[in-house]
Amino acid sequence: MLTVYSDKHALRDARTELYGGELVPPFECPVRAEHILGRVREVGLGEVIAPREFSLEPVTRIHDPGFIHFLEHCWQEWVAAGFKGEAIAANWPARGMQQRAPHHIEGKIGYYALAAETSITDGTWQAARASVDVALTAQSAVADSSSSAFALCRPPGHHAAGDMFGGYCFINNAAVATQAFLDQGAARVALLDVDFHHGNGSQAIFYDRDDVLFLSLHGDPAEAFPHFLGYADETGHGAGQGYNHNYPMGPGTAFDTWGAALDDACAKIRGYAPDALVVSLGVDTFENDPISFFKLTSDDFRRYGASIASLGLPTLFIMEGGYAVEEIGVNAVNVLQGFEGD
């Protein structure tokens, strides 16, 4: 399987994350991608290539241009305002407030943030741009060959909505790649999110559309981030009614329960008969992940890779979460090897 990777991901090297009332070193860190790349090469998964550079046009097919302008210039505006730390939102347009973007960066970052854990730093924009280039390069390879590819994206993307960042995500790589398939002639695309955390950004982007079937297996939002989206009764709106499927599961969920949810999701994908499948591949469902509560084992990742392969679709895997750093390479590549039948 082809892997697309950019070492520009390391430009995103934040020092601070707000977690449990403390500023801690971020769980989403450069070594994550390095461990995955090392495992890809160790097992001989296939060729590893650098991404092509794309314009912002595919990105603004998904994201609000004002939001993208904010991401590009946030760090410079933050520094110019005299702030000394990394850029972190401290206030939001909460219920009853005006939903309009302020001019000052302190208000602007709150307007575009969905949570406060994710700081913006020098290099964040460049890493996010490279990450979406990785996704689009891998998408092009799948579209050209009707096979499969792995976009080793970092930073991840599935929490990024049309005009919001957070959950370590800035540009929604999976959504941009999904739209690219459609723009290149696909009639229908399925987007399967197997990250522990609900893909709230992807859901919001496609919620009122029937050309994308979105399915997410995740920790119950009553118990887990992002808390305010991902319930089972969220099934789409307008033309998208019936094309959004959430599988929220509680603490301690092991593979028997999780795998049954995947089987149901795969049955729905077969019924939808998409032209391509995009998989938001998060491996924070692992039993030892530090910020999650599912109990999948390393062998389980190989098992469900085979289940996804049984769909027989051109498939693009896009890396999302996974924070058990020492095991992330084995777990991510196990999915891909299971898919390949190795």
Side-chain angles (χ1 to χ4, degrees):
M1 181 183 296
L2 175 72
T3 295
V4 185
Y5 167 84
S6 171
D7 58 11
K8 290 183 180 179
H9 78 87
L11 296 171
R12 166 71 184 166
D13 191 10
R15 302 186 306 273
T16 51
E17 172 181 336
L18 182 61
Y19 178 77
E22 299 179 288
L23 290 176
V24 302
F27 292 97
E28 203 294 292
C29 54
V31 71
R32 296 175 62 250
E34 294 159 13
H35 277 292
I36 297 168
L37 180 65
R39 183 63 175 174
V40 164
R41 288 177 166 155
E42 180 183 351
V43 304
L45 186 70
E47 184 181 9
V48 178
I49 65 170
R52 294 160 38 203
E53 291 187 2
F54 290 78
S55 74
L56 281 173
E57 195 278 332
V59 175
T60 55
R61 293 279 289 130
I62 290 298
H63 290 287
D64 173 70
F67 169 64
I68 295 302
H69 184 271
F70 156 77
L71 289 178
E72 183 175 4
H73 298 283
C74 174
W75 178 248
Q76 289 76 17
E77 291 185 35
W78 184 262
V79 172
F83 295 122
K84 303 302 182 185
E86 295 180 333
I88 301 175
N91 52 76
W92 292 266
R95 288 185 293 275
M97 292 185 172
Q98 289 283 353
Q99 303 294 311
R100 61 177 73 172
H103 295 298
H104 193 278
I105 189 59
E106 182 182 32
K108 196 181 298 183
I109 191 172
Y111 177 82
Y112 287 118
L114 67 90
E117 82 293 290
T118 301
S119 62
I120 291 181
T121 64
D122 188 18
T124 294
W125 168 249
Q126 291 85 349
R129 283 288 286 114
S131 190
V132 77
D133 283 346
V134 166
L136 286 169
T137 300
Q139 182 275 330
S140 295
V142 174
D144 290 345
S145 64
S146 295
S147 59
S148 59
F150 174 42
L152 208 179
C153 291
R154 182 183 172 268
H158 71 147
H159 292 306
D163 61 355
M164 288 191 296
F165 77 95
Y168 314 139
C169 301
F170 305 96
I171 297 173
N172 194 315
N173 305 307
V176 171
T178 296
Q179 185 63 50
F181 277 118
L182 295 166
D183 290 343
Q184 294 163 19
R188 294 177 303 279
V189 178
L191 174 50
L192 173 65
D193 193 319
V194 294
D195 190 279
F196 169 80
H197 302 93
H198 178 249
N200 61 284
S202 301
Q203 172 174 307
I205 287 165
F206 297 117
Y207 201 62
D208 61 355
R209 293 170 53 171
D210 61 4
D211 54 354
V212 176
L213 179 70
F214 178 71
L215 313 99
S216 179
L217 287 64
H218 53 269
D220 188 336
E223 304 284 348
F225 183 91
H227 294 297
F228 304 106
L229 214 61
Y231 292 91
D233 60 1
E234 298 160 9
T235 57
H237 179 264
Q241 179 61 48
Y243 294 93
N244 193 93
H245 300 281
N246 287 324
Y247 299 84
M249 290 168 274
T253 292
F255 189 73
D256 55 350
T257 299
W258 192 94
L262 179 64
D263 288 344
D264 188 81
C266 287
K268 287 182 169 60
I269 293 169
R270 289 189 183 93
Y272 186 63
D275 298 306
L277 172 64
V278 176
V279 179
S280 275
L281 178 58
V283 293
D284 42 1
T285 50
F286 181 53
E287 59 185 344
N288 294 329
D289 194 273
I291 56 174
S292 308
F293 55 61
F294 286 174
K295 299 300 178 183
L296 272 63
T297 67
S298 292
D299 286 342
D300 293 333
F301 292 102
R302 189 181 294 269
R303 292 167 64 188
Y304 85 65
S307 295
I308 294 171
S310 72
L311 293 169
L313 293 168
T315 302
L316 170 61
F317 291 92
I318 294 187
M319 196 65 211
E320 302 284 5
Y323 309 102
V325 173
E326 295 303 318
E327 297 93 349
I328 190 173
V330 169
N331 292 338
V333 174
N334 273 4
V335 177
L336 306 176
Q337 289 187 295
F339 181 88
E340 296 267 89
D342 294 339

